[in-house]
Structures are given as C-alpha cells and as structure tokens.
Amino acid sequence: MVQSSIIVPTHSSTASNKRGVDDSSDKDKEVGSSSELIKRPRLDMTEAGRDRNKRLFGVLLGTLNKFKDDTQNTSEVDKRRREINQKLQEKLDLEKKAMAERTEARKLEKERMEQMKRQEEERILAEKRELFEVQQKKVLANFLKTTTEPVLYYLPSKLTDEMSKTIDMQTQDALTAKKSFEERRERRMIGLRNDSLSENEDEDT
C-alpha cells in the first residue's frame, strides 16, 4: 500500500503567489496606460470637425493678414511722417534763409543811411566853413594886409591911389567868391532834391 501525503500550502506562500500575480497585473496595467498616453488621438474627420478646422484656420489667417495690414499701415504712416518732417525742415530752412537775407538787407541799409548822414554832416560843415571864409573875405576886403608873417590887416587914415585900387580889387574878389559859393550851394541843393525824389520813386516801385 502506497502512502500519500498532502502538502497544505502555508499562508505565506499563498500570499506571496497572490502578490506576484497582483504585481504582474499592475505592471500590465501600467504598460497599457503608458501605451494609451503615448498613442496619438485620432483626428475627428467628421463634417463638423472639418468645418471647425476651417473656421480656426480662417481666424488664424485673418489674424495674420490683419497683422500684415497693420505693419503696412505703420510703414505708410512712418513714411508720411518722414515726408512731413522733411517738408517742415525745408520750410524752416527757407524761413531762416529769408530772415538772414532781411537781416543783411537791414544791416546794409543802416550802413548806407549812416554813411549818407556822415556825408551830409561833412557837407554841411564844409559849407559852413566856406561861408565863413567868404564872409571873412568880404570883411577883410576893405583892409590892407602886410606881406610878412603873421599877416596883419590895417587901414591907413589916408589912402593912396594904389591902396584904393588894391581895396577895390579885394572887394571885387570877395563878391566873386560869394557869388561862386552861392551857385555851388544852389547846385548842391538841387542835387539833394533830385536824390530825394529818386529814393521816393524807388520805394514806391
């Protein structure tokens, strides 16, 4: 008669086997989950999906076109701004040039007026000096003068014929000098009046 023996597994062995099965199952689940995560989702190629994609693409394209238009508009604005600034600078340069020309013209006119004033003062002074000499000559024409230096004027109580003749000649010379002076002064006055009329005509034109 063959004897048989039955081996009853202990609790620890059963638990160990169970944990092994559970661990294998968990690993399979993790691998399956990783495969699901890595796997790319399928695109929705239905009619509604295609319409939605078209709308999204249209919105994106519109945004890009708007950005392009805004960029072009900005470039046009910058270009117009540069043109305006250039025109303003040119206008400013012209105004500066015109102002410099006016300043130079006023300076030249002032110098011309000052020169004319000096010439007029010199003319008046020379005329006064000449008039004094003419008047002095007329007064001294009635006297005789020495031939030595300094010149002395005298009038004897009794004149000889030679002395009277000398006084007559001096008087005639004084009258001639006075007449010549008056003629020169008249010509100068006429010249001044003509110059004044010419200046007025130039200002009117």
Side-chain angles (χ1 to χ4, degrees):
M1 183 175 180
V2 180
Q3 294 182 353
S4 62
S5 60
I6 299 172
I7 299 174
V8 179
T10 61
H11 179 71
S12 59
S13 298
T14 304
S16 177
N17 293 333
K18 186 176 180 180
R19 283 196 301 272
V21 173
D22 292 340
D23 292 340
S24 298
S25 177
D26 292 338
K27 289 180 180 179
D28 293 339
K29 289 180 180 180
E30 290 177 358
V31 172
S33 299
S34 299
S35 299
E36 291 178 357
L37 291 174
I38 295 173
K39 187 176 181 180
R40 295 178 62 186
R42 293 183 62 187
L43 295 175
D44 187 2
M45 298 305 294
T46 62
E47 187 69 24
R50 286 194 296 270
D51 292 341
R52 184 182 59 191
N53 291 337
K54 287 181 180 179
R55 287 195 301 273
L56 292 175
F57 180 75
V59 171
L60 179 60
L61 185 61
T63 302
L64 293 175
N65 289 333
K66 185 176 183 300
F67 176 76
K68 181 179 179 181
D69 293 339
D70 292 342
T71 303
Q72 291 178 350
N73 292 334
T74 302
S75 300
E76 290 295 329
V77 170
D78 291 338
K79 182 179 179 181
R80 287 196 296 270
R81 184 182 295 111
R82 287 194 297 269
E83 291 176 352
I84 292 173
N85 290 336
Q86 183 178 358
K87 290 181 180 179
L88 290 176
Q89 185 63 39
E90 291 175 355
K91 183 178 180 181
L92 181 61
D93 293 340
L94 290 176
E95 290 179 353
K96 287 182 178 179
K97 182 179 179 181
M99 183 178 295
E101 291 177 352
R102 289 194 297 269
T103 302
E104 183 66 18
R106 286 195 295 268
K107 179 182 178 182
L108 294 176
E109 180 65 16
K110 183 179 179 181
E111 292 177 354
R112 188 179 71 86
M113 295 299 294
E114 290 178 351
Q115 183 178 3
M116 290 179 61
K117 183 178 179 181
R118 287 193 300 269
Q119 291 176 350
E120 180 66 13
E121 291 175 351
E122 292 174 357
R123 184 191 65 79
I124 293 174
L125 182 61
E127 187 174 289
K128 288 182 178 180
R129 187 183 300 112
E130 187 177 1
L131 177 61
F132 174 78
E133 291 175 355
V134 169
Q135 292 174 345
Q136 189 75 3
K137 190 172 185 178
K138 180 181 178 182
V139 172
L140 296 177
N142 296 317
F143 295 88
L144 299 173
K145 62 181 180 180
T146 62
T147 57
T148 58
E149 294 293 339
V151 177
L152 299 176
Y153 289 88
Y154 65 97
L155 182 62
S157 58
K158 188 175 181 180
L159 298 175
T160 63
D161 294 339
E162 186 68 23
M163 292 179 179
S164 297
K165 185 177 179 180
T166 300
I167 291 175
D168 291 340
M169 290 177 60
Q170 291 179 169
T171 303
Q172 187 63 35
D173 290 342
L175 293 174
T176 302
K178 181 181 179 182
K179 183 178 180 181
S180 178
F181 167 76
E182 291 176 349
E183 289 176 352
R184 288 195 300 273
R185 183 169 61 179
E186 183 65 22
R187 286 196 297 270
R188 283 196 295 265
M189 295 300 295
I190 293 174
L192 290 174
R193 285 195 295 268
N194 292 335
D195 292 340
S196 179
L197 291 175
S198 298
E199 290 180 359
N200 292 333
E201 290 177 356
D202 292 338
E203 291 178 357
D204 293 337
T205 56

